[in-house]
Amino acid sequence: MQNRDIARALETIVTLLEIRGEEHYRVLAYQRAAETVAALGRPVTEIEDLEELPHVGGTTAGVIRALAEDRTPPLLAELSEEIPAGLVEVTRLPNVGPRTAGRLWKELGVTSVEELAEVGEERIAALKGFGKKSAERIVRAARNYNAREHRMLLDEATALGENLLAFVRAHPSTERAEVAGSLRRRKETVGDLDLVAASTDPHALADAFANADFVTEVVAHGDTKVAVKCGAVDVDLRIVEPEAFGTLLHHFTGSQAHNVVLRERAVKMGINISEYGLAEAGTGDYEPVATEEELYERLGLAYIPPELREDWGELEAAEKGGLPALIETRDVRGDLHVHTNYSDGKGTIESMAEAAIELGYEYLVFCDHSQSLRVANGLSPERLRKKLEAVRAADERYGEIHLLCGSEVDILRDGTLDYEDDLLAELDFVVAAVHTAFNMPEEAMTGRILRAMNNPHVRTIAHPTGRLLNRREPYAVDVSRLIEEAAATNTALELNSYVDRLDLAVPYLREAVRAGVRLTIDTDAHDEAALAFMKFGVSQARRAWVENGSVINCLPWPEFEEYLRKGK
Ligand code: DGT
Ligand code: CA
Ligand code: CA
């Protein structure tokens, strides 16, 4: 097993232990071990003494070793035997964590989502610690649950896609290969994976792929198409001769809507497009096209990057030379919203700074949580002042990067902020965010955030709609009003790059940029590895046609410093 799979197996153990109702510290040991393995720079198998890794003790080391050697650790075997398999799916429901799933199982005999949907609400409401409202929410979630709606987040899809692609590219007959489908378009969640390859020996490549280690089930196996399952994920591999790679890649990149309008346009020019090539209308003689660049050129269009292929106006723009100069990850000069172990992060000021230096950043702003957010170990004013000093001292020591101290300050129910203005004024940068009372009516929630925007110290609103992909709907808020007020108060809006947030969503980002609102693209990283999530924020921005001029943290340091000095 590779690190990723090992980390995932450890996470499964965590979920199962929680369902069982195991002590918190014991669960935490596996959680920490999973994080360590996930963040490890080299394969676990290369490490002689696993116990030297952070957060790995004797017991967890044994489990990791077993997994690395493809053995099932006894603990996992025992848990799988004891806990009904359907409960893991129950934990994916919004508002149902593993501990709740465990209680529903032990106290009501629920073993699957289907059973939960049928269990009477009164029976759940009667359990200790549950109320009528939460019982209703749980049953509703179970009834609405559709297993197929669970889509992969971008980090998982990207990692899997890269592994599969590396396998296909390593085959001796492969000349070119790419990931296609929604992952290539960097959609915020991905259903299944589509790979396309150009091969001089399709038969051999198809065989090798169908027989690869990562395949858990072969669904279909021909010379041009192999469909497999890798665990829960469906993967399609399509194979052509190298001459026809361009149209094949284009076809399976989609989106379907983009393909449809492109085809209509081609027909008007007397050209038919298929995955095999281009044909003069009425002939059916498809002539292969080797690259996407050539395909667009033949249709009189500039090359359209995959992120824009959604039929959101990209053809007209490509025709008129009006495509945006899309932002790229390398345009980003700093991260304005990261956490440390002062609040709920895992990294230190130093470790986060060093990771940011690795990324080539010119500046980094530490924004830990504010005092009321006890669950996240929010900083009292005293602790914030101490941290401010620590950041100033660290900034002196690190010549390569500018380290700044900010706060992710809570927007309280009434729209006031969780620190006094004079303390906010001492900070370099203030990010404001809603973390509580998500159920407010839209009017009240909108007013709450508008008020925060009017605070002169608030530079940006973090994760403005509060959604968690696959887990929590956005709170009720009038985003268009936020955009208007952001423009009026010169407040930025954050595009939070964390893979389960990607908040703001693409249509709002477009609206914001059109209204002249500037964005901050931040990772909200709680550990060093998550700083690399910036690429997911950037791809989301690209889908929204964002250019680097709209993004505050694309400013080079002197201009960023000027922006800080000038105030809002
Ligand atoms: P996903 O997998 O739901 O995240 O989204 P996509 O865009 O990857 O969609 P998928 O996997 O169904 O198909 C990949 C691409 O193939 C799609 O973007 C356009 C193209 N395509 C070709 N023929 C069809 C078709 O008959 N239906 C659909 N939906 N797409 C097609
Ligand atoms: Ca797909
Ligand atoms: Ca597909």
Side-chain angles (χ1 to χ4, degrees):
M1 264 198 190
Q2 298 182 341
N3 289 8
R4 224 194 134 67
D5 305 311
I6 295 173
R8 212 171 282 162
L10 290 168
E11 274 163 17
T12 304
I13 291 177
V14 168
T15 305
L16 295 174
L17 288 172
E18 287 195 299
I19 292 175
R20 186 198 249 177
E22 203 69 59
E23 294 284 353
H24 187 60
Y25 71 89
R26 184 150 182 237
V27 178
L28 198 62
Y30 289 94
Q31 181 65 53
R32 291 255 163 89
E35 285 158 6
T36 298
V37 172
L40 212 57
R42 59 210 163 106
V44 154
T45 42
E46 284 176 12
I47 295 170
E48 247 168 62
D49 187 3
L50 289 170
E51 287 184 51
E52 286 189 358
L53 294 173
H55 308 301
V56 174
T59 317
T60 44
V63 171
I64 296 171
R65 202 165 303 115
L67 292 167
E69 292 164 2
D70 290 323
R71 290 181 287 116
T72 306
L75 172 64
L76 184 55
E78 177 192 317
L79 287 165
S80 311
E81 170 78 36
E82 176 187 326
I83 295 166
L87 281 175
V88 173
E89 202 152 56
V90 173
T91 67
R92 294 198 187 122
L93 297 175
N95 305 308
V96 182
R99 289 191 187 266
T100 302
R103 290 195 53 200
L104 294 168
W105 167 46
K106 285 186 264 185
E107 297 176 41
L108 298 177
V110 168
T111 66
S112 66
V113 174
E114 293 73 35
E115 289 178 15
L116 182 56
E118 296 307 318
V119 116
E121 283 168 17
E122 339 64 65
R123 291 186 64 208
I124 299 175
L127 298 179
K128 196 161 173 249
F130 288 74
K132 190 160 173 295
K133 276 223 165 112
S134 63
E136 274 170 20
R137 268 204 290 270
I138 289 171
V139 171
R140 190 171 345 114
R143 292 196 177 138
N144 293 339
Y145 184 75
N146 173 351
R148 282 206 213 121
E149 271 175 18
H150 188 85
R151 295 168 60 87
M152 272 179 288
L153 299 180
L154 270 179
D155 59 337
E156 183 188 349
T158 303
L160 182 60
E162 280 170 2
N163 277 342
L164 300 178
L165 192 60
F167 179 92
V168 172
R169 285 183 175 160
H171 193 265
S173 79
T174 302
E175 295 212 338
R176 285 199 63 189
E178 296 291 345
V179 168
S182 52
L183 178 56
R184 184 161 182 247
R185 303 195 315 278
R186 299 283 179 244
K187 224 178 135 177
E188 58 198 19
T189 59
V190 172
D192 67 6
L193 288 188
D194 308 280
L195 299 173
V196 299
S199 162
T200 52
D201 187 351
H203 181 80
L205 175 57
D207 268 358
F209 192 75
N211 289 302
D213 284 350
F214 47 74
V215 169
T216 51
E217 188 188 330
V218 178
V219 180
H221 180 179
D223 278 358
T224 56
K225 177 180 166 169
V226 187
V228 300
K229 277 182 165 293
C230 299
V233 183
D234 290 312
V235 181
D236 290 336
L237 170 66
R238 303 226 169 43
I239 311 172
V240 272
E241 321 266 280
E243 309 81 76
F245 185 71
T247 28
L248 182 80
L249 175 61
H250 184 271
H251 179 80
F252 289 108
T253 296
S255 66
Q256 201 182 2
H258 171 86
N259 290 357
V260 167
V261 289
L262 191 71
R263 238 172 259 172
E264 286 168 0
R265 181 190 157 85
V267 166
K268 284 188 201 139
M269 301 169 70
I271 300 172
N272 285 344
I273 309 178
S274 83
E275 58 194 272
Y276 309 107
L278 299 182
E280 214 174 292
T283 66
D285 289 337
Y286 283 92
E287 188 193 326
V289 178
T291 66
E292 286 186 329
E293 285 78 1
E294 186 187 336
L295 173 66
Y296 282 115
E297 198 183 308
R298 295 265 295 271
L299 299 171
L301 298 170
Y303 176 80
I304 301 176
E307 295 95 327
L308 299 187
R309 300 183 196 168
E310 296 291 348
D311 187 24
W312 290 338
E314 67 274 13
L315 290 198
E316 294 82 337
E319 184 173 11
K320 294 187 209 123
L323 287 173
L326 294 179
I327 180 174
E328 296 184 34
T329 305
R330 62 160 185 261
D331 296 335
V332 174
R333 310 295 183 104
D335 199 325
L336 308 178
H337 177 181
V338 309
H339 294 262
T340 68
N341 58 2
Y342 273 81
S343 65
D344 59 346
K346 296 197 188 71
T348 59
I349 292 173
E350 289 75 17
S351 70
M352 296 298 280
E354 280 156 27
I357 292 169
E358 280 290 300
L359 292 171
Y361 286 159
E362 297 173 26
Y363 44 92
L364 179 68
V365 188
F366 297 103
C367 288
D368 277 305
H369 290 288
S370 59
Q371 54 187 339
S372 305
L373 208 64
R374 299 267 158 73
V375 289
N377 193 21
L379 274 57
S380 65
E382 295 69 38
R383 288 180 62 222
L384 177 55
R385 288 209 168 85
K386 263 190 130 152
K387 184 186 144 192
L388 184 60
E389 274 172 39
V391 173
R392 296 276 181 266
D395 183 46
E396 292 283 317
R397 292 198 303 278
Y398 289 96
E400 316 88 311
I401 192 165
H402 298 277
L403 301 177
L404 302 171
C405 185
S407 171
E408 180 181 13
V409 61
D410 249 52
I411 304 175
L412 305 177
R413 277 167 171 276
D414 63 356
T416 58
L417 298 173
D418 197 21
Y419 291 125
E420 297 294 333
D421 271 3
D422 50 357
L423 179 52
L424 294 177
E426 288 177 46
L427 301 173
D428 300 311
F429 191 81
V430 176
V431 174
V434 167
H435 292 107
T436 54
F438 292 119
N439 294 329
M440 285 169 80
E442 179 174 314
E443 280 271 314
M445 183 62 94
T446 305
R448 176 181 180 185
I449 300 174
L450 294 183
R451 183 161 179 201
M453 286 179 168
N454 280 282
N455 180 295
H457 306 294
V458 170
R459 297 283 187 161
T460 188
I461 303 296
H463 39 75
T465 73
R467 71 170 177 179
L468 293 177
L469 294 168
N470 288 335
R471 284 195 286 147
R472 187 171 77 202
E473 292 296 308
Y475 42 68
V477 62
D478 182 346
V479 180
S480 297
R481 277 291 291 124
L482 299 189
I483 289 170
E484 269 171 38
E485 197 74 1
T489 58
N490 197 18
T491 309
L493 292 174
E494 183 184 77
L495 162 49
N496 190 294
S497 308
Y498 220 89
V499 280
D500 64 357
R501 290 192 182 271
L502 293 173
D503 182 6
L504 289 174
V506 170
Y508 295 137
L509 290 171
R510 282 196 85 173
E511 188 181 334
V513 169
R514 282 187 182 141
V517 170
R518 285 204 287 177
L519 306 173
T520 57
I521 306 182
D522 301 329
T523 61
D524 201 352
H526 284 65
D527 57 42
E528 301 82 5
L531 283 169
F533 283 178
M534 186 62 82
K535 61 176 177 284
F536 302 123
V538 169
S539 58
Q540 171 106 334
R542 288 169 63 87
R543 286 174 62 75
W545 298 45
V546 173
E547 304 192 356
N548 65 17
S550 297
V551 178
I552 287 174
N553 50 316
C554 287
L555 292 174
W557 168 254
E559 289 167 44
F560 181 66
E561 195 185 20
E562 169 78 11
Y563 155 83
L564 291 182
R565 205 174 35 236
K566 277 197 353 214
K568 268 166 68 171

